[in-house]
Amino acid sequence: MTDIPPLSTDTKDGLHHQDVEHIFGFDGPLSAALPGYRPRQAQTEMAKAISDAIAGQKTLLAEAGTGTGKTYAYLVPALLWGGKVIVSTGTKNLQDQLFQRDIPTIKKILKAPVSVALLKGRSNYLCHYHLERTQQNGRLTSREDVGYLRDISRFIKTTMTGDKSELSRVPETASVWSLVTSTKDTCMGTECQYYQDCFVMKARKEAQQADVVVVNHHLFFADVALKDTGVAELLPSANTVIFDEAHQLPETATLFFGDTVSTSQVLELCRDVHAEGLSHARDGAEWSKLVAPVEKAARDLRLAFPQDIVRLSIDQIAASSPFFEALDTLKDSMSELIAVLEKQAERAETLEQCRARAIMLQDQIDDWNAEPKDAAKAGDYVLWVEAFSVSLQLHRTPLSIAPIFNKQREGVPRAWIFTSATMAVKNDFTHYVSQMGLWNEPAFTWPSPFNYQEQGYLYVPDGMPDPNSRDYADAVINAALPVITAAKGRTFLLCTTLKAVRFSAERLKQEFEQRGLNFPLFVQGDAGRTELLERFRNSGNGVLIGSQSFWEGVDVRGEALSLVIIDKLPFSPPDDPVLAARITAMEKKGMNGFVHHQLPEAIINLKQGAGRLIRDETDRGVLMICDPRLISKPYGKRIWQSLPGFARTRLESDVLAFFERLSTESSAAPPAKV
Ligand SMILES: Nc1ncnc2c1ncn2[C@@H]1O[C@H](COP(=O)(O)OP(=O)(O)OP(=O)(O)O)[C@@H](O)[C@H]1O
Ligand code: SF4
Ligand SMILES: [Mg+2]
């Protein structure tokens, strides 16, 4: 399961390989059209393997290092030979990047006559119906939201897509969005007076008709599970499905193949029942009195946990906890609400919709901790609760997604391409394959086109304290400061927790001020991700501090990024109930949870973070991992052996000298070997 696959000629017409070589070659169209383009063997070979899988309607796992150019490697065969293609990627940002930048580039160069559509989740599109209702009933509480609503009302008149990402003036996190978009529960569907103009329907229709549809993993799995925003209807006609950033699939699929119900859904329902009841069936019930006990029970469920934020498996909740009583009360009061809705539903379409929603919610709440019908299935799900500031979610998460995902892949034969820089650990795909149920499918790793040994250092500072000690966060900054200074900013500081992000930002700000260093600081949360990256690139000497969302998919080429610092090895928090249950299940099978699950996960995360540094044959830089466990623990070796083959050092002086050389020589000498 390693190395470059043999040059097979078993492609149906045998011609694709030659075409691929030409397209990616020295004299090919990519080289002619793209400045800075150089043929990369890994990229060409990967494109050939993908062409074969497409032609043979096979499954393929294609791994190639960060920055190799995997995007073009799959877009070329997909646009030429893929038939109807679904490309799914990790985030909405990467979706926009594919749709706006990469696909048009390749389409134009190849003169490929394909139509392309972008499909996002329902909550990304403005809803005419809900916007109108919000304009009319003025439920807005803050002045800020009133201003945003004015912007949105103006925007809806001019936008073609209704995609909220086009209206950057209203932040993605603004609460007003939930009042002007629909959910599967609240959409009126064909009954809606705006159905003809509806943006969700329009996006779905375009996706139906397009040759290439760009989606994201959340949408793909939410949809396959809930059959909502259109992927489920797209899938049957697709000839090729490509998952980029495929290492994220186990987590995303886990999220959606399970079931989650939130007390905020219950409260929203109560709010709507109250409003619709009063406007359409005032004499039908005492609406305030009817919803009050349901609302109280939903709130009591949250109040059963005094902590701010908590994640607990059902086994960790004491039998005497008020939680169980509140859950029973909620179930009972929901039944009373439904009994009234059954009688009043025929008086208005909106009341009928509330009735259907209430029944669905009740089913979900009942099912959450119901005894499984089949006793053998009892251990297949993890039941857990997650408390947020004002809501409580009940989750039912499958222990393994493999059987469910395999079922999805059954049926019409089609090509399934999984690509990422990090599916394998040292060429071993076992961990990924067993999570996804992709046993016996061909899996290849192509070597990186970069010469890491010459292009940079892996620096693990000496004398760092234990990562769990109190002074660790300070020690990271102390060790980082001289290196950031030598690198002249141009740094990503990637932290494993948001707390560490905030702490580091605060301390670096003070230190920069005291030392008269004018490196601009960009901190996750200060602005949207795309905007922060844009500002970082433009600054030329910035320091960006971020957590998980900056570890993946970010492409900053050249000198703007010369130093990537990672504070700690990214092990998942051991208190995660799903992780704990998975580890227990593995241990029952005689496997070691740490070795077979947590360690490979951490390695995959770390490789993603490290992969931000070198994006080009001429990029140079230092990867600094502060965590001493990389050296002191027996598993440390396995970790650094999985990372790109940088020259290694523990001496700050080596790193300072490296940056010194970088700044004095325009084409700096390679680092001395250690
Ligand atoms: N053959 C090539 N020569 C020069 N530049 C290339 C070539 N192919 C792709 N690129 C550029 O290299 C950069 C990295 O490409 P891409 O984003 O596809 O990498 P990737 O393999 O997907 O990496 P990651 O795993 O980090 O997402 C992009 O800016 C892309 O435009
Ligand atoms: S069909 Fe649904 S999403 Fe579209 S405008 Fe009507 S309620 Fe909104
Ligand atoms: Mg990529």
Side-chain angles (χ1 to χ4, degrees):
M1 303 216 287
T2 60
D3 298 334
I4 300 173
L7 273 178
S8 71
T9 47
D10 62 2
T11 312
K12 270 185 192 150
D13 54 14
L15 284 174
H16 291 160
H17 284 187
Q18 283 170 23
D19 291 341
V20 170
E21 290 207 344
H22 169 67
I23 292 166
F24 286 92
F26 278 105
D27 305 320
L30 292 185
S31 183
L34 298 169
Y37 180 89
R38 293 192 221 183
R40 292 173 177 170
Q41 200 193 359
Q43 189 178 38
T44 315
E45 294 303 326
M46 181 173 151
K48 284 185 200 165
I50 292 176
S51 309
D52 288 350
I54 286 176
Q57 302 189 313
K58 298 263 168 39
T59 295
L60 173 73
L61 283 74
E63 185 190 73
T66 42
T68 299
K70 293 186 285 294
T71 319
Y72 297 164
Y74 65 74
L75 284 182
V76 167
L79 296 196
L80 289 179
W81 306 299
K84 172 120 187 164
V85 183
I86 300 177
V87 181
S88 181
T89 186
T91 60
K92 279 184 272 179
N93 289 321
L94 291 172
Q95 238 187 312
D96 288 333
Q97 188 174 306
L98 271 170
F99 183 73
Q100 283 157 16
R101 195 181 80 180
D102 299 325
I103 295 181
T105 304
I106 295 298
K107 188 182 151 177
K108 188 165 163 227
I109 295 175
L110 300 178
K111 301 189 181 72
V114 291
S115 55
V116 187
L118 182 67
L119 185 63
K120 294 184 181 173
R122 179 191 280 282
S123 63
N124 290 280
Y125 299 98
L126 277 179
C127 161
H128 291 90
Y129 174 77
H130 284 94
L131 174 62
E132 191 189 77
R133 279 179 29 133
T134 305
Q135 285 165 335
Q136 284 168 356
N137 68 16
R139 270 184 202 155
L140 297 184
T141 46
S142 77
R143 185 181 296 175
E144 215 176 25
D145 278 350
V146 174
Y148 291 153
L149 186 66
R150 210 174 303 131
D151 290 335
I152 293 171
S153 307
R154 225 173 281 143
F155 169 72
I156 200 166
K157 297 202 179 108
T158 53
T159 173
M160 300 293 287
T161 61
D163 182 342
K164 70 181 193 187
S165 75
E166 285 176 17
L167 185 63
S168 55
R169 206 157 0 123
V170 181
E172 219 183 317
T173 47
S175 59
V176 67
W177 285 122
S178 70
L179 298 173
V180 298
T181 51
S182 64
T183 65
K184 191 188 178 209
D185 293 352
T186 63
C187 173
M188 308 296 294
T190 46
E191 303 292 323
C192 177
Q193 55 180 321
Y194 296 106
Y195 193 74
Q196 292 303 324
D197 302 319
C198 173
F199 294 121
V200 177
M201 304 305 155
K202 200 167 148 213
R204 280 188 192 191
K205 204 164 148 210
E206 280 171 16
Q208 279 291 338
Q209 289 163 355
D211 300 305
V212 179
V213 187
V214 183
V215 303
N216 61 60
H217 302 335
H218 273 84
L219 176 62
F220 188 94
F221 286 101
D223 239 47
V224 168
L226 304 173
K227 307 232 182 308
D228 185 29
T229 321
V231 175
E233 12 179 291
L234 284 180
L235 197 56
S237 60
N239 307 100
T240 304
V241 178
I242 299 173
F243 291 110
D244 195 351
E245 307 284 342
H247 60 278
Q248 297 175 358
L249 294 180
E251 201 182 319
T252 316
T254 298
L255 217 56
F256 289 102
F257 286 160
D259 201 7
T260 294
V261 52
S262 166
T263 54
S264 56
Q265 283 170 281
V266 176
L267 294 176
E268 272 164 30
L269 173 76
C270 290
R271 191 187 69 188
D272 291 349
V273 167
H274 187 240
E276 300 303 334
L278 285 184
S279 37
H280 301 289
R282 186 172 281 271
D283 56 352
E286 287 201 63
W287 295 102
S288 309
K289 277 198 185 152
L290 183 67
V291 297
V294 186
E295 287 178 329
K296 179 170 185 311
R299 294 213 173 87
D300 285 348
L301 210 56
R302 169 63 188 94
L303 295 174
F305 303 97
Q307 304 92 324
D308 282 346
I309 289 178
V310 69
R311 296 151 70 92
L312 292 173
S313 75
I314 193 168
D315 309 332
Q316 291 171 303
I317 306 173
S320 59
S321 163
F323 168 80
F324 293 104
E325 205 186 310
L327 188 63
D328 287 339
T329 315
L330 179 62
K331 288 176 185 174
D332 294 343
S333 56
M334 285 282 284
S335 301
E336 282 164 33
L337 179 72
I338 289 170
V340 173
L341 285 171
E342 294 286 7
K343 293 204 190 98
Q344 303 297 327
E346 59 183 26
R347 297 178 67 173
E349 182 57 38
T350 46
L351 277 174
E352 162 54 28
Q353 212 208 11
C354 287
R355 185 193 68 94
R357 262 165 82 187
I359 291 177
M360 211 178 65
L361 275 178
Q362 190 192 37
D363 284 350
Q364 277 181 292
I365 296 168
D366 282 348
D367 284 353
W368 179 69
N369 64 344
E371 291 289 326
K373 289 175 200 94
D374 176 357
K377 297 255 177 263
D380 291 356
Y381 284 85
V382 189
L383 304 186
W384 55 290
V385 302
E386 189 172 23
F388 298 95
S389 51
V390 292
S391 68
L392 184 85
Q393 296 189 339
L394 307 178
H395 300 281
R396 184 182 170 87
T397 305
L399 208 50
S400 166
I401 56 152
I404 313 173
F405 186 64
N406 261 327
K407 228 178 152 56
Q408 302 295 338
R409 292 198 305 125
E410 281 171 3
V412 189
R414 67 173 61 94
W416 293 87
I417 314 291
F418 298 80
T419 187
S420 158
T422 51
M423 287 181 286
V425 175
K426 286 186 34 184
N427 289 339
D428 178 356
F429 286 81
T430 315
H431 175 60
Y432 188 77
V433 161
S434 58
Q435 286 186 92
M436 297 294 295
L438 298 170
W439 299 283
N440 304 321
E441 301 292 5
F444 298 105
T445 297
W446 288 276
S448 166
F450 309 129
N451 186 344
Y452 285 102
Q453 178 78 28
E454 310 237 315
Q455 289 179 256
Y457 268 121
L458 166 62
Y459 168 47
V460 183
D462 226 347
M464 288 294 291
D466 182 281
N468 296 316
S469 65
R470 273 163 162 263
D471 53 347
Y472 187 75
D474 271 313
V476 168
I477 300 297
N478 294 342
L481 266 168
V483 190
I484 296 175
T485 312
K488 302 195 174 73
R490 303 186 295 178
T491 301
F492 268 13
L493 171 55
L494 302 178
C495 301
T496 41
T497 61
L498 285 172
K499 197 171 149 207
V501 169
R502 284 189 294 269
F503 177 88
S504 310
E506 202 46 50
R507 243 208 87 192
L508 278 184
K509 191 167 158 243
Q510 284 170 11
E511 296 284 349
F512 288 173
E513 268 166 25
Q514 274 170 18
R515 294 164 193 234
L517 298 167
N518 60 351
F519 307 135
L521 266 179
F522 304 101
V523 184
Q524 175 173 342
D526 285 358
R529 202 177 101 123
T530 319
E531 191 182 331
L532 274 184
L533 276 172
E534 191 63 31
R535 288 201 238 151
F536 173 83
R537 280 195 194 101
N538 293 338
S539 75
N541 66 342
V543 176
L544 186 148
I545 310 178
S547 74
Q548 205 66 35
S549 70
F550 285 90
W551 288 56
E552 300 182 13
V554 174
D555 184 42
V556 181
R557 292 175 82 177
E559 291 199 344
L561 178 61
S562 299
L563 173 63
V564 171
I565 305 174
I566 290 175
D567 68 339
K568 275 188 198 178
L569 296 177
F571 291 115
S572 340
D575 60 354
D576 179 299
V578 180
L579 176 67
R582 287 191 168 153
I583 288 176
T584 311
M586 292 182 106
E587 291 181 344
K588 271 190 200 147
K589 288 189 209 154
M591 286 154 83
N592 179 314
F594 180 75
V595 173
H596 294 108
H597 194 89
Q598 279 172 291
L599 188 58
E601 295 273 285
I603 291 178
I604 284 172
N605 272 330
L606 195 64
K607 275 169 73 178
Q608 281 293 337
R612 300 311 107 214
L613 187 60
I614 304 294
R615 309 291 297 172
D616 195 326
E617 287 84 346
T618 56
D619 262 2
R620 276 151 204 274
V622 171
L623 169 65
M624 172 171 173
I625 303 181
C626 300
D627 197 321
R629 291 175 293 184
L630 200 58
I631 308 293
S632 64
K633 295 286 180 193
Y635 57 77
K637 188 168 169 191
R638 191 168 159 79
I639 298 182
W640 62 253
Q641 283 182 341
S642 309
L643 291 172
F646 291 110
R648 295 194 306 274
T649 185
R650 307 211 61 195
L651 301 178
E652 186 183 285
S653 55
D654 279 344
V655 177
L656 300 189
F658 171 78
F659 283 118
E660 185 66 33
R661 281 202 303 277
L662 266 193
S663 64
T664 50
E665 306 161 22
S666 53
S667 58
K673 290 183 183 158
V674 246

Short mmCIF file of all heavy atoms in Angstrom, two decimals, residues 5-25 44-55 76-77 81 446:
data_model
loop_
_atom_site.label_atom_id
_atom_site.label_comp_id
_atom_site.label_asym_id
_atom_site.label_seq_id
_atom_site.Cartn_x
_atom_site.Cartn_y
_atom_site.Cartn_z
N PRO A 5 2.12 3.88 -7.86
CA PRO A 5 1.52 2.70 -8.49
C PRO A 5 2.15 2.46 -9.86
O PRO A 5 2.61 3.40 -10.50
CB PRO A 5 0.05 3.10 -8.64
CG PRO A 5 0.05 4.59 -8.59
CD PRO A 5 1.19 5.00 -7.77
N PRO A 6 2.22 1.21 -10.29
CA PRO A 6 2.82 0.93 -11.58
C PRO A 6 2.03 1.62 -12.68
O PRO A 6 0.84 1.87 -12.54
CB PRO A 6 2.70 -0.59 -11.69
CG PRO A 6 1.63 -0.97 -10.73
CD PRO A 6 1.67 0.04 -9.65
N LEU A 7 2.69 1.94 -13.74
CA LEU A 7 2.02 2.56 -14.88
C LEU A 7 1.15 1.51 -15.54
O LEU A 7 1.62 0.69 -16.31
CB LEU A 7 3.07 3.02 -15.89
CG LEU A 7 3.63 4.40 -15.69
CD1 LEU A 7 4.68 4.68 -16.72
CD2 LEU A 7 2.52 5.42 -15.76
N SER A 8 -0.10 1.51 -15.18
CA SER A 8 -0.94 0.46 -15.77
C SER A 8 -1.48 0.94 -17.10
O SER A 8 -1.65 2.14 -17.32
CB SER A 8 -2.10 0.14 -14.84
OG SER A 8 -3.00 1.21 -14.85
N THR A 9 -1.71 0.04 -17.98
CA THR A 9 -2.31 0.42 -19.26
C THR A 9 -3.71 -0.16 -19.34
O THR A 9 -4.30 -0.25 -20.41
CB THR A 9 -1.49 -0.14 -20.44
OG1 THR A 9 -1.20 -1.50 -20.15
CG2 THR A 9 -0.21 0.63 -20.63
N ASP A 10 -4.23 -0.52 -18.14
CA ASP A 10 -5.54 -1.16 -18.18
C ASP A 10 -6.69 -0.16 -18.19
O ASP A 10 -7.82 -0.50 -18.00
CB ASP A 10 -5.70 -2.15 -17.01
CG ASP A 10 -5.62 -1.46 -15.67
OD1 ASP A 10 -5.48 -0.22 -15.64
OD2 ASP A 10 -5.67 -2.15 -14.65
N THR A 11 -6.36 1.12 -18.37
CA THR A 11 -7.41 2.12 -18.54
C THR A 11 -8.21 1.71 -19.77
O THR A 11 -7.64 1.23 -20.73
CB THR A 11 -6.77 3.49 -18.76
OG1 THR A 11 -5.78 3.66 -17.78
CG2 THR A 11 -7.79 4.58 -18.66
N LYS A 12 -9.51 2.01 -19.68
CA LYS A 12 -10.39 1.51 -20.74
C LYS A 12 -9.86 1.76 -22.15
O LYS A 12 -9.72 0.88 -22.95
CB LYS A 12 -11.79 2.11 -20.58
CG LYS A 12 -12.68 1.26 -19.71
CD LYS A 12 -14.08 1.82 -19.70
CE LYS A 12 -14.87 1.14 -18.59
NZ LYS A 12 -15.89 2.00 -18.06
N ASP A 13 -9.53 3.03 -22.44
CA ASP A 13 -9.06 3.29 -23.79
C ASP A 13 -7.55 3.45 -23.84
O ASP A 13 -6.98 3.68 -24.90
CB ASP A 13 -9.76 4.51 -24.39
CG ASP A 13 -9.60 5.71 -23.46
OD1 ASP A 13 -8.76 5.64 -22.56
OD2 ASP A 13 -10.33 6.69 -23.66
N GLY A 14 -6.88 3.30 -22.68
CA GLY A 14 -5.43 3.32 -22.67
C GLY A 14 -4.82 4.68 -23.00
O GLY A 14 -3.61 4.84 -22.98
N LEU A 15 -5.65 5.66 -23.24
CA LEU A 15 -5.12 6.95 -23.70
C LEU A 15 -4.94 7.96 -22.57
O LEU A 15 -4.18 8.89 -22.68
CB LEU A 15 -6.05 7.56 -24.75
CG LEU A 15 -5.96 6.92 -26.13
CD1 LEU A 15 -7.03 7.49 -27.03
CD2 LEU A 15 -4.59 7.13 -26.73
N HIS A 16 -5.66 7.75 -21.49
CA HIS A 16 -5.65 8.78 -20.45
C HIS A 16 -4.25 9.09 -19.93
O HIS A 16 -3.93 10.24 -19.72
CB HIS A 16 -6.55 8.35 -19.29
CG HIS A 16 -8.00 8.37 -19.66
ND1 HIS A 16 -8.95 7.69 -18.96
CD2 HIS A 16 -8.65 8.98 -20.67
CE1 HIS A 16 -10.13 7.88 -19.51
NE2 HIS A 16 -9.97 8.66 -20.56
N HIS A 17 -3.44 8.05 -19.74
CA HIS A 17 -2.12 8.30 -19.16
C HIS A 17 -1.30 9.24 -20.03
O HIS A 17 -0.65 10.16 -19.52
CB HIS A 17 -1.37 7.00 -18.95
CG HIS A 17 -1.88 6.24 -17.76
ND1 HIS A 17 -1.28 5.11 -17.29
CD2 HIS A 17 -2.93 6.48 -16.95
CE1 HIS A 17 -1.95 4.66 -16.24
NE2 HIS A 17 -2.96 5.48 -16.02
N GLN A 18 -1.34 9.00 -21.32
CA GLN A 18 -0.59 9.89 -22.21
C GLN A 18 -1.13 11.31 -22.13
O GLN A 18 -0.38 12.28 -22.09
CB GLN A 18 -0.73 9.42 -23.66
CG GLN A 18 0.13 8.22 -23.97
CD GLN A 18 -0.24 7.66 -25.34
OE1 GLN A 18 -0.78 8.36 -26.18
NE2 GLN A 18 0.06 6.39 -25.54
N ASP A 19 -2.44 11.41 -22.10
CA ASP A 19 -3.05 12.74 -22.02
C ASP A 19 -2.64 13.43 -20.73
O ASP A 19 -2.29 14.61 -20.73
CB ASP A 19 -4.58 12.63 -22.06
CG ASP A 19 -5.08 12.19 -23.42
OD1 ASP A 19 -4.30 12.33 -24.38
OD2 ASP A 19 -6.21 11.71 -23.51
N VAL A 20 -2.69 12.68 -19.63
CA VAL A 20 -2.32 13.26 -18.34
C VAL A 20 -0.88 13.75 -18.39
O VAL A 20 -0.56 14.87 -17.97
CB VAL A 20 -2.51 12.23 -17.20
CG1 VAL A 20 -1.91 12.74 -15.91
CG2 VAL A 20 -3.99 11.91 -17.01
N GLU A 21 0.01 12.91 -18.92
CA GLU A 21 1.43 13.30 -18.98
C GLU A 21 1.60 14.58 -19.80
O GLU A 21 2.37 15.45 -19.44
CB GLU A 21 2.26 12.17 -19.57
CG GLU A 21 2.33 11.02 -18.60
CD GLU A 21 3.57 10.18 -18.75
OE1 GLU A 21 4.23 10.30 -19.80
OE2 GLU A 21 3.84 9.40 -17.83
N HIS A 22 0.87 14.64 -20.89
CA HIS A 22 0.98 15.84 -21.72
C HIS A 22 0.47 17.07 -20.97
O HIS A 22 1.14 18.10 -20.92
CB HIS A 22 0.20 15.64 -23.02
CG HIS A 22 0.05 16.92 -23.78
ND1 HIS A 22 1.12 17.57 -24.37
CD2 HIS A 22 -1.04 17.69 -24.02
CE1 HIS A 22 0.70 18.68 -24.94
NE2 HIS A 22 -0.61 18.79 -24.74
N ILE A 23 -0.69 16.93 -20.36
CA ILE A 23 -1.30 18.09 -19.69
C ILE A 23 -0.41 18.63 -18.57
O ILE A 23 -0.24 19.83 -18.42
CB ILE A 23 -2.70 17.73 -19.14
CG1 ILE A 23 -3.66 17.49 -20.30
CG2 ILE A 23 -3.24 18.84 -18.23
CD1 ILE A 23 -4.96 16.82 -19.91
N PHE A 24 0.19 17.70 -17.79
CA PHE A 24 1.01 18.13 -16.66
C PHE A 24 2.49 18.33 -17.04
O PHE A 24 3.29 18.71 -16.20
CB PHE A 24 0.91 17.11 -15.51
CG PHE A 24 -0.40 17.17 -14.76
CD1 PHE A 24 -1.47 16.38 -15.13
CD2 PHE A 24 -0.57 18.05 -13.69
CE1 PHE A 24 -2.68 16.44 -14.46
CE2 PHE A 24 -1.78 18.12 -13.01
CZ PHE A 24 -2.84 17.31 -13.39
N GLY A 25 2.85 18.04 -18.30
CA GLY A 25 4.26 18.03 -18.69
C GLY A 25 4.83 19.42 -18.95
O GLY A 25 4.13 20.43 -18.89
N THR A 44 1.55 14.34 -11.24
CA THR A 44 1.19 13.66 -12.50
C THR A 44 0.77 12.22 -12.24
O THR A 44 -0.24 11.75 -12.77
CB THR A 44 2.40 13.67 -13.46
OG1 THR A 44 2.97 14.97 -13.45
CG2 THR A 44 1.98 13.31 -14.87
N GLU A 45 1.53 11.54 -11.38
CA GLU A 45 1.21 10.13 -11.10
C GLU A 45 -0.15 10.02 -10.39
O GLU A 45 -0.93 9.12 -10.65
CB GLU A 45 2.30 9.49 -10.24
CG GLU A 45 3.66 9.36 -10.93
CD GLU A 45 3.59 8.56 -12.23
OE1 GLU A 45 2.77 7.61 -12.31
OE2 GLU A 45 4.33 8.89 -13.18
N MET A 46 -0.38 10.96 -9.50
CA MET A 46 -1.67 10.94 -8.79
C MET A 46 -2.80 11.16 -9.78
O MET A 46 -3.84 10.48 -9.72
CB MET A 46 -1.65 12.03 -7.71
CG MET A 46 -2.92 12.07 -6.90
SD MET A 46 -2.76 13.23 -5.53
CE MET A 46 -4.46 13.71 -5.35
N ALA A 47 -2.62 12.08 -10.71
CA ALA A 47 -3.67 12.35 -11.70
C ALA A 47 -3.94 11.10 -12.57
O ALA A 47 -5.08 10.81 -12.91
CB ALA A 47 -3.26 13.52 -12.58
N LYS A 48 -2.87 10.35 -12.87
CA LYS A 48 -3.06 9.12 -13.66
C LYS A 48 -3.88 8.11 -12.87
O LYS A 48 -4.81 7.48 -13.41
CB LYS A 48 -1.70 8.48 -13.97
CG LYS A 48 -0.94 9.18 -15.06
CD LYS A 48 0.31 8.34 -15.31
CE LYS A 48 1.37 9.16 -16.01
NZ LYS A 48 2.68 8.51 -15.96
N ALA A 49 -3.51 7.93 -11.60
CA ALA A 49 -4.24 6.95 -10.78
C ALA A 49 -5.70 7.33 -10.66
O ALA A 49 -6.60 6.48 -10.68
CB ALA A 49 -3.59 6.84 -9.40
N ILE A 50 -5.96 8.63 -10.54
CA ILE A 50 -7.36 9.09 -10.42
C ILE A 50 -8.10 8.86 -11.74
O ILE A 50 -9.26 8.42 -11.75
CB ILE A 50 -7.41 10.56 -9.95
CG1 ILE A 50 -6.91 10.63 -8.50
CG2 ILE A 50 -8.82 11.13 -10.05
CD1 ILE A 50 -6.81 12.00 -7.91
N SER A 51 -7.41 9.11 -12.87
CA SER A 51 -8.04 8.82 -14.18
C SER A 51 -8.44 7.36 -14.28
O SER A 51 -9.53 7.04 -14.75
CB SER A 51 -7.09 9.10 -15.33
OG SER A 51 -6.54 10.35 -15.22
N ASP A 52 -7.55 6.49 -13.81
CA ASP A 52 -7.85 5.05 -13.86
C ASP A 52 -9.07 4.72 -13.01
O ASP A 52 -9.95 3.97 -13.43
CB ASP A 52 -6.66 4.23 -13.33
CG ASP A 52 -5.50 4.23 -14.31
OD1 ASP A 52 -5.70 4.71 -15.45
OD2 ASP A 52 -4.40 3.76 -13.94
N ALA A 53 -9.10 5.29 -11.79
CA ALA A 53 -10.21 4.99 -10.90
C ALA A 53 -11.52 5.50 -11.49
O ALA A 53 -12.56 4.84 -11.39
CB ALA A 53 -9.97 5.61 -9.52
N ILE A 54 -11.46 6.67 -12.12
CA ILE A 54 -12.67 7.23 -12.74
C ILE A 54 -13.14 6.33 -13.89
O ILE A 54 -14.31 5.97 -13.98
CB ILE A 54 -12.40 8.66 -13.24
CG1 ILE A 54 -12.32 9.61 -12.04
CG2 ILE A 54 -13.48 9.12 -14.22
CD1 ILE A 54 -11.98 11.05 -12.40
N ALA A 55 -12.17 5.94 -14.73
CA ALA A 55 -12.54 5.12 -15.89
C ALA A 55 -13.10 3.77 -15.44
O ALA A 55 -14.05 3.25 -16.02
CB ALA A 55 -11.33 4.91 -16.79
N VAL A 76 -8.16 17.91 -13.06
CA VAL A 76 -7.93 17.62 -14.49
C VAL A 76 -8.70 16.37 -14.93
O VAL A 76 -9.55 16.45 -15.83
CB VAL A 76 -6.42 17.54 -14.82
CG1 VAL A 76 -6.19 16.94 -16.19
CG2 VAL A 76 -5.79 18.92 -14.71
N PRO A 77 -8.45 15.20 -14.31
CA PRO A 77 -9.23 14.03 -14.75
C PRO A 77 -10.73 14.18 -14.50
O PRO A 77 -11.55 13.72 -15.30
CB PRO A 77 -8.67 12.87 -13.94
CG PRO A 77 -7.80 13.45 -12.89
CD PRO A 77 -7.43 14.83 -13.32
N TRP A 81 -12.95 13.61 -17.66
CA TRP A 81 -13.53 12.27 -17.81
C TRP A 81 -14.48 11.86 -16.70
O TRP A 81 -14.97 10.74 -16.67
CB TRP A 81 -12.38 11.22 -17.86
CG TRP A 81 -11.36 11.52 -18.91
CD1 TRP A 81 -11.59 11.61 -20.25
CD2 TRP A 81 -9.98 11.82 -18.70
NE1 TRP A 81 -10.43 11.95 -20.90
CE2 TRP A 81 -9.42 12.07 -19.97
CE3 TRP A 81 -9.16 11.89 -17.57
CZ2 TRP A 81 -8.07 12.39 -20.16
CZ3 TRP A 81 -7.81 12.20 -17.76
CH2 TRP A 81 -7.29 12.45 -19.03
N TRP A 446 2.11 9.20 -2.56
CA TRP A 446 3.17 9.70 -3.44
C TRP A 446 4.09 10.61 -2.65
O TRP A 446 3.62 11.41 -1.84
CB TRP A 446 2.56 10.46 -4.62
CG TRP A 446 1.91 9.53 -5.57
CD1 TRP A 446 2.50 8.84 -6.58
CD2 TRP A 446 0.53 9.15 -5.58
NE1 TRP A 446 1.56 8.06 -7.23
CE2 TRP A 446 0.35 8.23 -6.65
CE3 TRP A 446 -0.59 9.49 -4.82
CZ2 TRP A 446 -0.88 7.65 -6.94
CZ3 TRP A 446 -1.81 8.93 -5.11
CH2 TRP A 446 -1.95 8.02 -6.17
#
